[in-house]
Amino acid sequence: MAEPKTKYDRQLRIWGEQGQAALEKASICLLNCGPTGSETLKNLVLGGVGSITIVDGSKVEFGDLGNNFMVDDSSLGQSKAKCVCSFLQELNDAVKAKFIEEYPEALIDTNPSFFSQFTLVVATQLVEESMVKLDRICRQENVMLIFARSYGLTGLVRISVKEHTVIESKPDHFLDDLRLNNPWPELRGFAEAIDLNVQDPVAHKHIPYVVILVKMADEWKTSHGGTLPSTREQKREFKELLKARMAAMDEDNYKEAIDASFKLFAPQGIIAALKEFIANEGGGEVPLEGSIPDMTSSTEHYVNLQKIYQAKSEADYLVLEERVRNILKKIGRDPHSIPKATIKSFSKNARKLKVCRYRSIEDEYNNPSPAELQKYLTDEDYSIAVGFYILLRAVDRYAANFNHFPGQFVGGLDEDISRLKTTAVSLLNDLGCSGLTLTEDLINEMCRFGAAELHAVAAIIGGIASQEVIKLITKQFVPMTGTFAFNAIDHKSQLLNLC
Amino acid sequence: MADAAPPSKSRDLDKLLLRPGNLVGPTFDPGVQLRDDLQEYARVLVVGAGGLGCELLKDLALSGFKNLEVIDMDRIEVTNLNRQFLFRLEDVGKPKAEVAAKRVMERVSGVNIVPHFCRIEDKDIEFYNDFNIIALGLDSIEARSYINAVACSFLEYDSDDNPREETMKPMVDGGTEGFKGHARVIVPGVTPCFECTIWLFPPQVKFPLCTLAETPRNAAHCIEYAHLIKWDEVHSGQAFDPDNPDHMKWVYDEAVKRAELFGIPGVTYSLTQGVVKNIIPAIASTNAIISAACTLETLKIASGCSKTLSNYLTYNGVEGLHTKVTEFVKDKDCLVCGPGVLIELDTAVTLKKQFIDMLEEDPKVLMTKASITYHGKNLYMQAPPVLEEMTRSNLELPLYDLMDKTPKDVLHATGTINKDDKKSSGLRKLRVVFKGIDGVTDMDMAGGA
């Protein structure tokens, strides 16, 4: 068996040991193991989830050999769940893999408590009616749920969780926490001890921009009644002042200061969760994050500057920790029930906390958002994606009426098209969009698809669903908020804000 | 209402290939013939058998393509196993292309995959011309640049400088990094090629030498000092091998010493590997998404069953999920996919003395040690020695004669490109036009009766 650390090296560099540990503790249930479900699970198995349970009552048919990598010629006639399970087990023997030969709809109807044992359920290729029922069950049992569907050249992914909090959102681009406009005593003292007008040219060009900006900000404040540059004119003037202090053209630290001057002007934000800290020790600020970006500087200055930021971050965290313990004591809970590591992470990530909330499927269907839908239907960039979202719901209604999907069988295509059109019109009515229509082309296209589950589409939907599962389980990075409507025609897929 | 037709293995794909539609490609001709032609005649090359390559082979095999080939020069490593799902622990050390081909053929009956365990440069240019579409699953700018140049070298322009459709070699290119990725369609002569949009790629992070040598501030600086400066000082003559664990350990130890000297925290073995090897974090899900998007485009180009991506898709799954399609425009002066570097020559110009040497100085070429081919024929090869000897006699001959006295035509030159102090192997298309021969077809006729 491979040394776990080495095998997972490339993903550990993304979510770290803690993220990996969370994955390895998770138990996932998959409903339906056609290509959509199988491809979703493949990515999770490779990533090292703790356990998987595949639920599918069907047998492998000839047509499955053309779209599902997890079955082969020898699987014909056997339980699809069994075959997929055995292939997935080969991919990673550290994962506990099980299967149940049962139709998901049957479990949903007759054994809802089955789902309570799982961390998360991946529900693929379910129709509306089953989605609503399963959603109710999972909300009740506090099990995370994600829906994934592939249908011809379209599909969707939709998370359903009451509330998901993210401490480590790890955004791509985030403003550093430098406090240039409001330096605390130690930072101010450090800056004061450095002379910007030092004669030695080497020393002059190795003063870090943090120090340059703190000092220049002070100079500005003195001559401007204690305020910082606010108008565009003033900001430009400030940059000119910086330029004037350059002793030579190659002074990277000054160039960095000019480029970073916007960090001086940026307004501060407040986060409710840290109200007490902010109102007291923070003096209006959240705990300091503590890291600083790289910048041209002598090693000595940089390391000392780093230590100053780290010390303040540590001090803020200790204050926060004390407040957390006191609050816990006050409400009668064990003051050490929240681990140090969590408080520390919370403290460092205070400006980046995220909360995601999702409506229940039932609520989304019974209380549609006509304004949003209308906006999407009349926007060229959204029209195909939202058109497909509506048509996916329409084909489920169609199937409930006629016991097959439009275009599912050869022949009678014209009749199917006209019936789908009627169904779509009635659905649009129910969604409060009676004045709007879907194009003939899109309706025809949906019938052409005939509920086909194409491997490449399933792989994309599966990839997206598995990525969201990883975010939900590791509680790192921010999961999608909204319903992802996939459009493989021109790839203008969209996140629809309907949930 | 049950289906009367016999069961089809491509039950789902049939819906797209056998049925007419409105949101389809301009040449779409649905029917059993299309499906069967795709299986029998379409040939796709997958470049790379790693994270993207494995997914591409599976996706293409399950999207109606039966004739595939794959090329990759690497062997399987343990760190591949978290996403390159065709490989198992016992495969570590074996060639990726061979194991990948074998695994997919085992599972999907009817598909034939020919593996090539070699570098992309080791293949003749004509090898690449054999395929209808080339799908790229590469991880470097250099490799993409190379394949792009090869594919674009097949492109021919007519006398009105319009690209000739039958010489267009479409490519689909995918790339991933962590939760981000891109997929693009390149049709030489129509869409921008890789070089036309090279500015899309951000410059690689390079630390200034003075930072490494004098003012290191973080762990990466200490590591690169050990790797790029100290190694040569101590091991002069011996090249640093990132795959040699002893070499890596040496760099790590030196980096730790330097970090201690400067009071810098954070040097770990993992970080050392990451910085020295420029490791890109990678997960299965992003590779799956991008490869499948590339496969869909390959299917659309080959069959016309839907409209194609026009022409660049970016994907970002860090915060929520964002996809964007941008339609980039071709650079008409592109040296690679454009009509070619126009070189006007005298008919007396010899292959070596004037032509090959001249390529070194021509600002639009700047190529040294050039090997020249003409419609697949080797005019002069710098290597291997046996070919060099065979073609050496051509050096003294007039280029005009070697080109069968064609007044204007395309040559391909491969060699070392020296641009911006960087040397890289490259291929250039040269449009040679011979001066002053209109009306005079050859010397004999002019001098004769």
Side-chain angles (χ1 to χ4, degrees):
Chain A
M1 189 162 122
E3 174 63 48
K5 290 228 159 68
T6 333
K7 178 162 80 165
Y8 296 136
D9 179 84
R10 298 299 186 264
Q11 65 198 41
L12 285 172
R13 289 170 192 271
I14 296 177
W15 52 70
E17 299 283 354
Q18 281 194 306
Q20 188 63 33
L23 279 175
E24 288 172 16
K25 279 212 284 279
S27 72
I28 314 276
C29 174
L30 172 69
L31 301 182
N32 290 319
C33 58
T36 308
S38 300
E39 292 295 311
T40 307
L41 224 53
K42 154 183 141 282
N43 301 329
L44 295 173
V45 164
L46 288 169
V49 291
S51 74
I52 58 168
T53 302
I54 302 173
V55 178
D56 190 316
S58 63
K59 303 274 188 207
V60 178
E61 286 174 14
F62 198 46
D64 294 333
L65 300 179
N67 75 0
N68 195 339
F69 195 73
M70 321 271 160
V71 301
D72 62 14
D73 289 347
S74 65
S75 321
L76 275 173
Q78 293 190 49
S79 150
K80 202 186 291 174
K82 172 163 169 273
C83 298
V84 172
C85 184
S86 121
F87 177 83
L88 287 176
Q89 181 71 90
E90 269 180 47
L91 288 186
N92 190 343
D93 51 15
V95 175
K96 295 205 250 301
K98 283 198 346 245
F99 73 93
I100 295 176
E101 193 176 348
E102 180 68 86
Y103 286 100
E105 290 78 9
L107 273 180
I108 290 170
D109 281 337
T110 64
N111 190 7
S113 60
F114 165 78
F115 298 100
S116 59
Q117 57 180 296
F118 301 107
T119 316
L120 186 147
V121 175
V122 177
T124 69
Q125 307 301 86
L126 291 185
V127 295
E128 253 183 46
E129 197 190 320
S130 311
M131 283 168 68
V132 171
K133 290 185 195 165
L134 179 62
D135 189 39
R136 256 189 237 133
I137 295 169
C138 289
R139 292 246 166 170
Q140 172 106 336
E141 307 284 349
N142 221 6
V143 173
M144 295 193 278
L145 176 57
I146 183 167
F147 293 103
R149 183 103 175 256
S150 301
Y151 194 105
L153 291 176
T154 182
L156 66 68
V157 180
R158 206 277 208 197
I159 295 175
S160 188
V161 166
K162 195 149 56 163
E163 188 179 277
H164 177 78
T165 53
V166 185
I167 298 175
E168 292 193 71
S169 61
K170 297 187 171 173
D172 246 344
H173 305 289
F174 208 85
L175 205 50
D176 325 285
D177 195 9
L178 293 176
R179 308 286 167 95
L180 299 174
N181 52 3
N182 191 11
W184 62 97
E186 285 80 6
L187 180 58
R188 179 178 290 284
F190 181 78
E192 257 156 40
I194 296 174
D195 179 15
L196 281 187
N197 299 316
V198 63
Q199 287 303 313
D200 171 25
V202 173
H204 193 268
K205 69 181 191 181
H206 280 98
I207 297 172
Y209 77 71
V210 163
V211 170
I212 296 173
L213 287 176
V214 164
K215 291 173 86 79
M216 296 295 292
D218 266 354
E219 271 185 36
W220 178 281
K221 275 200 255 190
T222 322
S223 51
H224 288 80
T227 60
L228 281 169
S230 53
T231 66
R232 198 192 292 192
E233 190 54 50
Q234 287 181 324
K235 290 175 188 174
R236 218 165 25 85
E237 201 189 320
F238 184 79
K239 287 192 193 179
E240 292 300 319
L241 285 172
L242 284 172
K243 229 186 268 185
R245 303 297 285 258
M246 284 174 80
M249 281 317 291
D250 69 340
E251 297 204 313
D252 286 335
N253 58 338
Y254 273 90
K255 286 189 203 154
E256 286 165 13
I258 293 167
D259 286 341
S261 53
F262 74 95
K263 298 184 190 184
L264 187 60
F265 316 138
Q268 304 302 300
I270 292 179
I271 299 166
L274 308 173
K275 253 161 113 176
E276 276 188 16
F277 174 93
I278 295 162
N280 295 286
E281 295 85 355
E285 307 258 22
V286 298
L288 185 71
E289 187 186 354
S291 61
I292 58 174
D294 189 24
M295 58 189 75
T296 302
S297 169
S298 68
T299 305
E300 197 186 330
H301 281 334
Y302 186 81
V303 171
N304 285 336
L305 197 57
Q306 240 183 349
K307 288 195 182 135
I308 289 175
Y309 275 85
Q310 279 162 359
K312 167 109 173 98
S313 174
E314 180 70 19
D316 282 357
Y317 150 70
L318 288 170
V319 169
L320 186 70
E321 191 195 359
E322 181 72 25
R323 289 200 167 274
V324 168
R325 307 266 181 248
N326 287 338
I327 288 175
L328 287 171
K329 255 190 262 186
K330 246 191 271 184
I331 61 171
R333 279 180 59 187
D334 172 10
H336 296 281
S337 55
I338 300 182
K340 267 182 179 324
T342 306
I343 303 176
K344 191 123 202 213
S345 181
F346 197 78
S347 183
K348 288 179 86 74
N349 285 287
R351 296 171 310 139
K352 306 173 188 173
L353 305 172
K354 289 273 191 192
V355 180
C356 303
R357 294 192 181 96
Y358 304 87
R359 288 206 282 166
S360 73
I361 303 288
E362 193 162 18
D363 191 19
E364 178 187 335
Y365 288 177
N366 294 342
N367 299 306
S369 330
E372 291 293 320
L373 283 166
Q374 280 176 35
K375 200 175 61 171
Y376 291 137
L377 281 164
T378 50
D379 182 336
E380 199 188 277
D381 280 338
Y382 282 80
S383 56
I384 295 185
V386 76
F388 274 140
Y389 164 82
I390 291 170
L391 283 167
L392 271 169
R393 295 196 49 196
V395 299
D396 282 352
R397 277 198 183 185
Y398 182 112
N401 278 337
F402 302 106
N403 281 326
H404 69 94
F405 289 102
Q408 187 171 359
F409 304 116
V410 176
L413 212 53
D414 284 336
E415 191 177 15
D416 287 7
I417 291 174
S418 114
R419 280 178 178 170
L420 179 60
K421 191 163 176 198
T422 316
T423 314
V425 165
S426 140
L427 176 60
L428 277 167
N429 222 9
D430 292 347
L431 292 172
C433 301
S434 50
L436 298 160
T437 49
L438 299 173
T439 64
E440 296 279 337
D441 282 348
L442 214 59
I443 294 175
N444 280 11
E445 187 75 351
M446 202 65 175
C447 282
R448 182 166 89 115
F449 295 160
E453 202 176 344
L454 300 168
H455 182 83
V457 173
I460 293 178
I461 297 289
I464 292 171
S466 59
Q467 167 194 282
E468 295 305 304
V469 169
I470 289 171
K471 292 187 207 169
L472 289 168
I473 294 178
T474 60
K475 287 183 172 300
Q476 293 182 26
F477 303 98
V478 183
M480 68 168 72
T481 45
T483 303
F484 178 71
F486 178 61
N487 164 14
I489 297 181
D490 56 12
H491 280 288
K492 290 191 181 161
S493 305
Q494 297 291 357
L495 258 184
L496 303 174
N497 193 12
L498 304 167
C499 55
Chain B
M1 179 181 130
D3 221 344
S8 162
K9 197 154 123 177
S10 56
R11 166 196 68 200
D12 299 83
L13 205 53
D14 282 353
K15 301 253 166 50
L16 271 195
L17 297 177
L18 271 47
R19 292 175 167 183
N22 298 339
L23 298 171
V24 296
T27 57
F28 183 51
D29 186 15
V32 175
Q33 191 67 58
L34 174 63
R35 177 193 67 196
D36 293 348
D37 281 353
L38 207 64
Q39 284 181 16
E40 195 171 336
Y41 299 117
R43 293 163 57 81
V44 180
L45 173 67
V46 175
V47 185
L52 290 166
C54 286
E55 298 277 346
L56 278 166
L57 286 171
K58 156 181 75 76
D59 295 344
L60 289 165
L62 291 173
S63 299
F65 294 97
K66 300 296 165 205
N67 297 300
L68 304 171
E69 297 194 29
V70 60
I71 178 170
D72 191 310
M73 64 180 183
D74 285 334
R75 291 179 183 274
I76 298 164
E77 292 172 26
V78 172
T79 53
N80 298 149
L81 302 178
N82 80 325
R83 62 206 183 279
Q84 298 173 24
F85 66 96
L86 296 174
F87 311 141
R88 307 280 174 266
L89 186 58
E90 50 276 17
D91 297 322
V92 171
K94 297 187 198 158
K96 289 188 179 184
E98 291 170 13
V99 178
K102 178 158 156 273
R103 281 286 145 68
V104 177
M105 285 194 284
E106 273 169 12
R107 301 206 63 83
V108 185
S109 68
V111 73
N112 189 42
I113 309 180
V114 179
H116 300 272
F117 173 44
C118 62
R119 302 179 325 137
I120 52 183
E121 296 91 345
D122 293 340
K123 290 291 188 197
D124 255 350
I125 294 174
E126 279 312 303
F127 164 77
Y128 294 99
N129 209 3
D130 241 354
F131 301 98
N132 302 106
I133 300 170
I134 302 178
L136 309 183
L138 293 165
D139 59 3
S140 80
I141 293 179
E142 294 75 28
R144 284 189 176 90
S145 222
Y146 185 83
I147 298 281
N148 180 70
V150 170
C152 292
S153 72
F154 302 126
L155 180 66
E156 285 174 28
Y157 283 83
D158 64 19
S159 47
D160 296 320
D161 273 1
N162 292 322
R164 291 184 28 217
E165 201 177 320
E166 65 278 14
T167 63
M168 295 176 188
K169 184 76 60 189
M171 287 176 283
V172 272
D173 169 60
T176 65
E177 181 172 339
F179 283 112
K180 299 194 244 183
H182 81 267
R184 70 188 297 185
V185 171
I186 298 179
V187 181
V190 178
T191 70
C193 77
F194 184 73
E195 295 299 320
C196 290
T197 51
I198 193 105
W199 47 266
L200 277 172
F201 288 87
Q204 273 219 300
V205 172
K206 261 183 136 164
F207 301 124
L209 217 52
C210 59
T211 301
L212 299 185
E214 283 148 46
T215 55
R217 297 178 294 272
N218 59 35
H221 296 156
C222 300
I223 293 165
E224 286 293 66
Y225 169 80
H227 167 220
L228 300 173
I229 297 177
K230 194 77 194 274
W231 175 273
D232 282 334
E233 275 173 25
V234 174
H235 298 91
S236 73
Q238 190 188 14
F240 172 77
D241 178 9
D243 291 320
N244 183 328
D246 291 329
H247 289 201
M248 190 63 77
K249 178 98 188 4
W250 185 93
V251 167
Y252 167 67
D253 290 337
E254 284 301 317
V256 167
K257 277 191 228 161
R258 186 164 180 80
E260 268 167 18
L261 188 63
F262 282 89
I264 295 171
V267 174
T268 61
Y269 191 72
S270 173
L271 184 65
T272 305
Q273 286 177 308
V275 169
V276 170
K277 289 171 130 173
N278 196 24
I279 291 180
I280 298 172
I283 44 179
S285 49
T286 317
N287 282 338
I289 295 165
I290 295 298
S291 304
C294 288
T295 300
L296 275 172
E297 293 312 305
T298 307
L299 176 62
K300 291 180 198 176
I301 292 170
S303 69
C305 68
S306 184
K307 296 187 180 298
T308 49
L309 166 69
S310 186
N311 47 53
Y312 198 106
L313 171 72
T314 50
Y315 172 85
N316 188 339
V318 168
E319 192 167 335
L321 174 54
H322 297 282
T323 62
K324 180 159 183 243
V325 174
T326 312
E327 187 163 7
F328 288 109
V329 172
K330 185 170 101 93
D331 175 3
K332 62 174 168 57
D333 294 323
C334 178
L335 285 179
V336 178
C337 74
V341 179
L342 187 61
I343 300 187
E344 291 186 304
L345 294 173
D346 218 85
T347 51
V349 163
T350 58
L351 181 54
K352 167 69 174 169
K353 265 263 126 3
Q354 279 103 7
F355 190 69
I356 290 182
D357 284 351
M358 178 216 79
L359 291 179
E360 286 186 28
E361 303 292 331
D362 188 322
K364 283 208 174 130
V365 185
L366 292 175
M367 184 184 286
T368 49
K369 298 193 89 36
S371 298
I372 312 289
T373 59
Y374 174 60
H375 288 305
K377 208 167 56 175
N378 294 333
L379 294 191
Y380 178 68
M381 289 281 123
Q382 303 264 357
V386 71
L387 268 184
E388 199 280 322
E389 216 180 299
M390 271 168 61
T391 53
R392 201 183 298 160
S393 53
N394 286 340
L395 290 177
E396 299 307 313
L397 298 177
L399 183 58
Y400 182 58
D401 291 356
L402 289 168
M403 285 171 67
D404 302 326
K405 303 207 165 120
T406 318
K408 60 177 179 181
D409 210 338
V410 170
L411 283 181
H412 294 127
T414 15
T416 308
I417 310 257
N418 302 288
K419 204 167 151 208
D420 304 329
D421 287 327
K422 245 180 60 164
K423 284 183 161 50
S424 56
S425 81
L427 165 65
R428 284 292 177 264
K429 184 158 75 178
L430 308 171
R431 225 158 126 221
V432 172
V433 174
F434 290 100
K435 295 186 280 200
I437 44 149
D438 280 342
V440 180
T441 44
D442 75 316
M443 306 284 272
D444 286 1
M445 256 186 84

